[in-house]
Amino acid sequence: MAFQIPRGTQDILPGEAEKWQYIEQMARDICRRYNYKEIRTPIFEHTELFLRGVGDTTDIVQKEMYTFEDRGGRSITLRPEGTASVVRSFVENKMYGDPNQPIKLYYVGPMFRYERPQAGRFRQFVQFGVEALGSNDPAIDAEVIALAMEIYQALGLKKLKLVINSLGDKESRIAHREALVNHFKGRIHEFCEDCQTRLEKNPLRILDCKKDRDHELMATAPSIIDYLNDESRHYFDKVQMYLTKLGVEFEVDPRLVRGLDYYNHTAFEIMSNAEGFGAITTLCGGGRYNGLVQEIGGPETPGIGFALSIERLLAALEAEGITLPVAQGIDCYVVALGEKAKDESVVIVDKLRKAGIAAEKDYQDRKVKAQFKAADRLQAKYVAIIGDEELEKNVINVKDMATGEQVEVSLDSFTEYLREKLV
RNA sequence: GCGGCUAUGGCGAAGUGGUUAACGCACCAGAUUGUGGCUCUGGCAUGCGUGGGUUCGAUUCCCACUAGUCGCCCCA
C-alpha cells in the first residue's frame, strides 16, 4: 500500500460516523439543559501551557506529548487534554470578570498523546469534557458528576460504576503524603522497583501498584479519608449528600487518586463493568482543580470538570451490545429505464431532495434489476420507476419496498404523494 | 520507551520451498431484453504488508522495517 494512516489514528467511516454524531448530539443536548456552553479552543498550544498545566515534574510530559517546533522556532504541542486550553482561554478572555458565575463550559474535539496504541488508547482520540469555573459550592461538583452520568445513561449504558474520593485540600494532602511516606519508608525495599521510585516521586501511586497489591503494608496504609481536615471532610460530605439527593449511585474509593498538585477535593471516575471490556475500564475521569487557574496566571478561581473519551464510550456500548438508533436507509430510489427517463430522473430526485426527501438514483448505468438491488442495499423505503411508458402518460410507478405494492401516481403529484407516505 | 502474537483478493479465511494460490461472503453478468430480498450458472488476487537476504526457484526459510493486536511503563 502506498500510503498508510499514521500510527494510532483512525478513519471514522460512513456507518461509524453517524454514531459519533449521535453521541455528540446527545452530549450537546444534555449540556444545553444543564446550561453548559460550548467553547472551541485550538488543537495546539504553546508547549509551555501544558508544562505548566500538567506539570513538568514527571517524565510523562517528555514521553507522551506530541511536541514539535514550528517554522518560527516556537515549541508547539498538540493538546493532550482539554482543561489546560480551557483555563488558558478563561484567563486570557478574562471570563472571571463575567457576572455569570460560575462559567460553565463544554468542549468536544481531538486530543493527542504520543503513546503506543493499545486497547482503548490512540494517538489521536476524541474527548468530550466540561469545566465549571468560579464556584466552590459542592453542589456544582455533584452537578458535574450527574451530568457525566446522564450522558452514559442517556445512551443506554447500564453497567456503570461511579467511584468518588476526596483528595482534600493542600493541608490534608501534605499530611497524608507524609503519613504514606512514613508508612512505607522502613520496608520500601520489599516493594517493586517502581514503588521505590514512587515513594519519592508520588507515594500515592504505590497504592495503585498491581505487583505489590497483596503486601501487608497495603491494607494498613493510611487512607486520605482519615487525613481530611474538618473543612475538607465537610466538603466531601456535602458532595455525597447532593449526589444522594440527585439519586446518583456512587461508591467511595479512598484509593482513587490524582497525581498532580493542583488537584484537590473531589475526584471521580466512571467505569464500565461490562464483560469483555479489556484491561481499560475507565470511561471518564474528573475532579476539582482549585489551584490550576492561578497556576496558568489567572486570579485564584476554583474549578471542576471531567473528560471522557468517545472511543471508549463506543467500546462500552459495544461491550453492552447497545445499538444506537441512527437512521440509515434512504426514502426513495428512482429507477430509470432508457435515455429519456434517465435524463428526467435527474430532475425527479432533485425535486424530492428539495422537498426534504432523501433520494438517490443510479449513476453506474445499471440495468433495472441492478438498480433495484442498489435500492435494496440502500434500504430505500420506496422505489419510483420511470420509463418510456410512464413518461408518455406523465406518471411514475411507486413501489413500497416493504410490502411490494406498486401504484401509479401522476408525475405532478409524485413528490407530494411521497411526502405524505413518509410521514 | 519495552515485550508476546499477527500481516494472503473489498471482507473473512485455507495453503505449499517449484507448472494455473482452496473456500465462504460481498460485488458484477446471465437464466428473467421494465422490478429487489430466494435459487442456479459464470466472472472476480500477474500476486500472498514493505525492503533486503538464503536458494536453480520463496507467498512459504532468515533479517530489518512498517502496521495491527494484547500487555508493561504511564495515564494530565
Side-chain angles (χ1 to χ4, degrees):
Chain A
M1 252 174 291
F3 290 105
Q4 275 184 310
I5 195 168
R7 175 167 233 188
T9 64
Q10 52 186 156
D11 294 320
I12 298 160
L13 304 175
E16 198 60 19
E18 288 80 359
K19 295 182 194 168
W20 288 71
Q21 290 173 0
Y22 183 85
I23 290 169
E24 285 173 19
Q25 187 48 49
M26 183 67 80
R28 284 174 192 281
D29 188 55
I30 291 169
C31 282
R32 184 185 57 76
R33 282 155 36 211
Y34 279 76
N35 192 35
Y36 283 73
K37 308 288 192 190
E38 183 177 10
I39 180 168
R40 301 193 184 196
T41 63
I43 234 167
F44 58 85
E45 298 271 0
H46 293 293
T47 302
E48 182 60 23
L49 175 68
F50 300 117
L51 295 183
R52 196 58 80 78
V54 178
D56 52 2
T57 46
T58 51
D59 56 11
I60 307 156
V61 162
Q62 294 299 333
K63 209 167 107 180
E64 295 193 0
M65 290 210 310
Y66 237 110
T67 299
F68 55 92
E69 247 186 37
D70 71 7
R71 293 179 188 231
R74 288 169 286 255
S75 181
I76 295 295
T77 294
L78 301 181
R79 60 183 185 192
E81 49 104 34
T83 306
S85 300
V86 170
V87 170
R88 191 222 82 234
S89 180
F90 174 87
V91 173
E92 194 167 349
N93 293 291
K94 302 185 170 57
M95 292 186 213
Y96 46 79
D98 191 314
N100 282 315
Q101 299 292 327
I103 302 290
K104 307 207 297 185
L105 304 165
Y106 77 89
Y107 59 84
V108 214
M111 306 293 163
F112 305 83
R113 291 183 195 175
Y114 196 90
E115 54 185 355
R116 188 90 182 259
Q118 52 179 294
R121 282 193 185 190
F122 303 91
R123 288 190 170 179
Q124 175 175 333
F125 54 99
V126 175
Q127 279 195 338
F128 170 88
V130 319
E131 316 286 353
L133 293 140
S135 171
N136 239 329
D137 187 337
I140 199 95
D141 299 46
E143 176 181 289
V144 164
I145 294 171
L147 193 165
M149 286 302 286
E150 186 165 341
I151 291 174
Y152 291 113
Q153 285 160 350
L155 293 168
L157 287 168
K158 298 261 189 303
K159 294 171 182 166
L160 299 167
K161 191 167 91 172
L162 167 64
V163 297
I164 65 170
N165 190 25
S166 174
L167 309 173
D169 57 15
K170 202 159 194 171
E171 187 186 286
S172 310
R173 295 191 58 164
I174 291 170
H176 178 234
R177 186 191 165 108
E178 205 176 325
L180 272 178
V181 173
N182 287 334
H183 179 75
F184 289 113
K185 194 166 59 181
R187 295 169 65 185
I188 192 65
H189 57 273
E190 295 170 24
F191 287 73
C192 71
E193 271 182 44
D194 292 324
C195 281
Q196 300 192 18
T197 25
R198 284 177 184 134
L199 186 69
E200 287 294 317
K201 250 168 59 178
N202 197 347
L204 271 175
R205 284 263 162 236
I206 297 176
L207 301 176
D208 263 354
C209 184
K210 282 163 197 148
K211 290 180 207 145
D212 297 319
R213 195 199 300 265
D214 299 324
H215 195 285
E216 56 176 303
L217 286 186
M218 286 297 206
T220 56
S223 166
I224 179 71
I225 302 278
D226 300 325
Y227 284 80
L228 295 179
N229 56 25
D230 289 349
E231 205 189 320
S232 299
R233 173 85 247 172
H234 181 68
Y235 195 95
F236 193 35
D237 286 343
K238 282 283 221 178
V239 172
Q240 295 183 56
M241 182 271 281
Y242 284 126
L243 282 175
T244 304
K245 271 188 183 297
L246 292 172
V248 177
E249 284 176 37
F250 61 88
E251 214 172 273
V252 174
D253 181 358
R255 283 149 72 110
L256 176 62
V257 297
R258 286 286 119 97
L260 306 176
D261 286 346
Y262 55 74
Y263 276 107
N264 42 41
H265 297 290
T266 314
F268 70 97
E269 274 181 21
I270 299 170
M271 299 189 275
S272 171
N273 289 330
E275 306 226 344
F277 195 47
I280 292 175
T281 53
T282 300
L283 298 175
C284 170
R288 186 160 271 284
Y289 46 82
N290 289 351
L292 184 58
V293 176
Q294 220 170 0
E295 188 68 32
I296 300 298
E300 195 178 333
T301 308
I304 178 163
F306 72 78
L308 64 86
S309 138
I310 312 275
E311 286 84 355
R312 286 192 193 174
L313 172 43
L314 283 163
L317 288 166
E318 175 117 3
E320 287 199 32
I322 295 167
T323 317
L324 298 176
V326 289
Q328 288 180 341
I330 60 166
D331 298 319
C332 182
Y333 190 98
V334 178
V335 169
L337 304 113
E339 272 309 302
K340 269 194 199 155
K342 193 177 155 191
D343 293 346
E344 189 58 27
S345 70
V346 172
V347 178
I348 293 172
V349 285
D350 182 62
K351 276 191 190 145
L352 292 174
R353 289 168 178 168
K354 295 214 159 106
I357 294 164
E360 187 57 285
K361 68 178 288 297
D362 170 67
Y363 296 100
Q364 304 302 114
D365 207 25
R366 286 193 255 250
K367 307 206 163 131
V368 183
K369 188 186 172 78
Q371 290 189 47
F372 265 89
K373 280 187 130 184
D376 214 40
R377 243 181 280 130
L378 293 172
Q379 299 174 43
K381 294 189 191 78
Y382 292 90
V383 167
I385 307 103
I386 182 95
D388 291 342
E389 293 168 28
E390 286 87 352
L391 274 179
E392 220 159 285
K393 291 159 65 185
N394 201 39
V395 296
I396 191 162
N397 271 297
V398 183
K399 181 171 185 177
D400 181 325
M401 291 299 269
T403 64
E405 275 173 53
Q406 187 167 314
V407 293
E408 195 177 270
V409 182
S410 91
L411 209 44
D412 302 322
S413 60
F414 169 54
T415 304
E416 204 43 49
Y417 170 83
L418 250 195
R419 195 139 68 161
E420 275 166 30
K421 279 287 202 181
L422 286 165
V423 170

